[in-house]
Amino acid sequence: MQIKIIIAGPRGKMGSEAVRMVNNEDTFDLVACIDRKNGGKALKDIESLPALDIPIYEDPEQCFQETDADVFIDLTTPDVGFEHTKLSLLYDIRPVVGTSGFTQEQIEALADLSTTHGTGCLIAPNFAIGAVLMMQFAKTAAKYLPDVEIIEKHHDQKLDAPSGTAVKTANMIQETRQSKQQGHPDEKETLNGARGAETDGIHIHSLRLPGLIAHQEVLFGGPGQTLTVKHDSYNRASFMEGVKLSVNKVMESDKLIYGLENILE
Ligand SMILES: NC(=O)C1=CN([C@@H]2O[C@H](COP(=O)(O)OP(=O)(O)OC[C@H]3O[C@@H](n4cnc5c(N)ncnc54)[C@H](OP(=O)(O)O)[C@@H]3O)[C@@H](O)[C@H]2O)C=CC1
Ligand SMILES: O=C(O)C1=N[C@H](C(=O)O)C[C@H](O)C1
């Protein structure tokens, strides 16, 4: 069976990689794109993209209304991605969302909409299989070594901090770790932010530098020992196996799935 796909953000770093991946998959058909143009070149003039003989929409609602599609892939920005995903569910087109930076409330709202419509939806904070394994190993380690800090490092064009991966890692750690405040009870920051962001006592430090792609270390400490679980993405192709798997799996789902670990066999 052919899976008909819409992509939003086709000229972006991830979106352009997804366009190439979909074009190279025999069972996937790219049927439309949502692209705001943003005063830049037309999609057809972007050398790194394959020739696209499909409708390109600026208005997402018009795209969902007029396009016969099975799956919608969003790789845009947090605010826009949330609106796109809502609309896609309203039109019963299954979203696969890589866009990060959604709040917990937004994810819950999308889960409700997905269930009400019986339309599958997959939100993956990280599509790289290695990153998912890193999160799972961290979840296991936290059971035995509950003192943990997360360092995530990304390219300097990233809009959201902390990364979706870091937030998801903290959530997964909370599933096995007893709630605790870490560090000295009397510790004080002499420079605001020195101890990073904090959720349930877990500190998250976000680094942004040119040259980086997507990297994370989860550090655990116990008496006389530390353990580091680390993952690096060196290019955006690292995410594409996960996008492929998500497109196939969302076709079989009638509710929202949050995290690639829930579809890995
Ligand atoms: N889940 C995962 O594994 C991964 C997730 N991500 C996430 O994916 C998202 C995209 O990342 P990345 O590709 O690096 O970012 P880019 O900035 O390269 O791409 C984002 C694209 O979204 C487009 N866009 C912005 N606003 C709109 C709009 N109103 N309508 C249509 N398109 C719009 C931009 O268009 P324009 O060019 O005109 O500004 C741009 O092309 C981010 O949220 C990132 O965190 C990234 C990597 C992996
Ligand atoms: O913006 C990125 O690049 C990435 N964003 C995702 C996140 O916020 O975790 C996934 C990956 O880290 C790359």
Side-chain angles (χ1 to χ4, degrees):
M1 188 192 78
Q2 291 301 114
I3 302 180
K4 299 189 280 299
I5 300 174
I6 299 171
I7 295 181
R11 69 179 65 223
K13 293 183 281 299
M14 274 293 279
S16 54
E17 195 69 46
V19 166
R20 287 189 288 275
M21 180 278 286
V22 168
N23 256 24
N24 287 332
E25 259 328 271
D26 289 345
T27 54
F28 293 176
D29 280 339
L30 186 62
V31 290
C33 281
I34 300 172
D35 174 42
R36 67 169 173 173
K37 287 200 188 78
N38 202 19
K41 284 181 173 180
L43 274 190
K44 65 176 176 44
D45 296 326
I46 300 181
E47 298 78 23
S48 58
L49 285 176
L52 296 174
D53 189 17
I54 52 169
I56 310 293
Y57 291 89
E58 281 190 62
D59 178 356
E61 181 141 27
Q62 193 189 355
C63 177
F64 295 129
Q65 246 166 21
E66 294 182 359
T67 312
D68 172 22
D70 302 301
V71 172
F72 163 64
I73 301 178
D74 194 87
L75 295 162
T76 60
T77 62
D79 291 350
V80 172
F82 175 68
E83 292 305 323
H84 285 171
T85 307
K86 236 176 22 187
L87 271 177
S88 169
L89 284 169
L90 290 174
Y91 283 90
D92 291 321
I93 300 172
R94 303 164 188 85
V96 167
V97 182
T99 306
S100 55
F102 290 3
T103 62
Q104 194 54 40
E105 292 72 35
Q106 287 177 320
I107 294 169
E108 280 163 21
L110 294 172
D112 288 346
L113 200 55
S114 169
T115 305
T116 314
H117 279 247
T119 303
C121 175
L122 197 142
I123 301 180
N126 201 312
F127 286 117
I129 309 296
V132 177
L133 292 173
M134 165 193 60
M135 291 186 251
Q136 287 181 321
F137 295 154
K139 176 178 168 178
T140 303
K143 195 169 159 188
Y144 306 99
L145 294 168
D147 286 87
V148 51
E149 306 233 353
I150 299 171
I151 304 175
E152 58 97 338
K153 307 180 220 173
H154 281 84
H155 57 91
D156 62 351
Q157 299 306 301
K158 187 163 176 60
L159 296 178
D160 53 314
S163 69
T165 308
V167 173
K168 177 71 169 159
T169 307
N171 291 342
M172 287 175 68
I173 286 174
Q174 280 172 276
E175 289 170 27
T176 50
R177 170 188 181 271
Q178 293 285 331
S179 182
K180 76 174 287 196
Q181 293 304 311
Q182 295 173 192
H184 197 286
D186 296 334
E187 88 179 1
K188 280 195 181 54
E189 288 182 341
T190 53
L191 206 54
N192 273 350
R195 294 285 290 119
E198 188 249 302
T199 172
D200 195 28
I202 304 168
H203 291 251
I204 304 178
H205 310 269
S206 297
L207 277 63
R208 299 289 177 263
L209 286 171
L212 293 171
I213 302 279
H215 317 263
Q216 182 170 290
E217 289 172 43
V218 190
L219 293 93
F220 298 89
Q225 59 178 325
T226 62
L227 168 71
T228 304
V229 189
K230 180 170 181 283
H231 177 261
D232 299 278
S233 271
Y234 298 108
N235 59 38
R236 271 107 193 162
S238 64
F239 302 112
M240 290 304 128
E241 278 308 309
V243 179
K244 229 185 274 181
L245 181 68
S246 301
V247 168
N248 285 312
K249 290 288 182 181
V250 81
M251 291 295 291
E252 299 161 9
S253 176
D254 58 3
K255 58 179 191 314
L256 184 141
I257 300 168
Y258 179 50
L260 203 68
E261 68 281 6
N262 297 305
I263 59 168
L264 288 179
E265 309 203 328

